[in-house]
Amino acid sequence: MIGTRRVLPRNMSIDAGLRADGIAVQDQFLASSQVRSLLECAHLRQARGDFDPARVGGRGPQRREEIRGDSTCWIIPPLLPAEEFLLQELERLRLRLNREAWLGLFELELHYAWYPPGTGYARHVDQPHGRGHRRVSLVLYLNDGWTPAAGGELRIFDAADRHREIEPIAGRLVCFLTADRAHAVLPTQRDRFSISGWFRARD
């Protein structure tokens, strides 16, 4: 098995990383102040009860904490100012990926994910069975002051079943081609917040 802290060189763009091996990492995708504002948005939505326990299973989904322990909140209107700014930045990224990587991306679905201490997400793929509309998976981390002892890494597998691990550091954006890309969230030792979603093709 392979475990590395960095997936790609700093100077490789997201579109170049996706073309190279289907995975791209960009640190400081947003300014620190903007990341803090998004974390405040997550806490606000959490306080008002917008988060729901995540479920697994395409038909009759169930809560299975031994598989997936996070709670999620979809980012839908009405949006908070920091969320509007994020969507503008991701729209610029979508247009660039279409221009440079010819991915045919048309829309975005996005949610907050909160993992309490002791939770993770077992190995899985993001593409629902028989459907190919999710083309690029993405995750933006909101965790300031993260240390290796906190765990919670994103583990991404390749076709040979080797894996790479990426720490959930504030401001880090991870993108990967969705189809057949197995990945997992390792158990976290502290509250772990991110914004996750998919660039989609037309159904």
Side-chain angles (χ1 to χ4, degrees):
M1 292 292 187
I2 297 174
T4 60
R5 292 298 180 190
R6 183 164 303 283
V7 175
L8 293 168
R10 283 182 179 271
N11 62 356
M12 184 174 285
S13 66
I14 291 175
D15 53 275
L18 293 179
R19 291 196 305 268
D21 69 354
I23 306 172
V25 178
Q26 181 178 329
D27 287 339
Q28 300 175 345
F29 178 73
L30 297 179
S32 297
S33 60
Q34 196 63 34
V35 174
R36 286 193 296 271
S37 293
L38 287 168
L39 182 58
E40 291 171 1
C41 292
H43 287 156
L44 173 61
R45 289 181 176 273
Q46 189 180 36
R48 68 190 192 190
D50 292 347
F51 278 76
D52 293 311
R55 300 174 184 272
V56 297
R59 295 181 178 178
Q62 304 175 38
R63 179 65 170 175
R64 298 281 303 278
E65 291 191 19
E66 75 278 13
I67 297 175
R68 180 178 185 180
D70 61 322
S71 293
T72 62
C73 169
W74 291 98
I75 300 178
I76 56 177
L79 299 177
L80 299 165
E83 296 167 346
E84 292 179 347
F85 181 84
L86 172 63
L87 291 183
Q88 291 170 7
E89 293 301 305
L90 292 176
E91 175 63 9
R92 292 188 183 94
L93 176 59
R94 183 188 72 85
L95 294 174
R96 187 168 79 244
L97 292 178
N98 281 345
R99 183 176 63 250
E100 302 296 336
W102 298 87
L103 289 173
L105 309 175
F106 285 95
E107 57 188 358
L108 173 68
E109 55 181 333
L110 208 60
H111 65 270
Y112 291 101
W114 164 48
Y115 289 84
T119 64
Y121 194 165
R123 179 171 172 164
H124 65 284
V125 295
D126 286 347
Q127 198 71 275
H129 181 69
R131 303 184 68 183
H133 57 290
R134 291 176 176 174
R135 292 283 180 85
V136 176
S137 299
L138 61 92
V139 55
L140 174 68
Y141 296 112
L142 309 179
N143 309 295
D144 197 22
W146 200 266
T147 64
E153 296 92 345
L154 174 65
R155 177 176 286 178
I156 302 183
F157 297 86
D158 65 14
D161 212 34
R162 296 169 299 189
H163 70 262
R164 300 166 173 174
E165 292 176 4
I166 305 168
E167 289 180 303
I169 295 170
R172 174 172 286 173
L173 178 68
V174 180
C175 296
F176 57 91
L177 298 180
T178 304
D180 301 321
R181 178 67 71 176
H183 57 287
V185 175
L186 302 186
T188 180
Q189 303 306 311
R190 54 170 274 200
D191 286 315
R192 178 192 188 274
F193 283 89
S194 64
I195 293 175
S196 302
W198 304 271
F199 286 121
R200 297 160 41 114
R202 286 178 175 160
D203 292 336

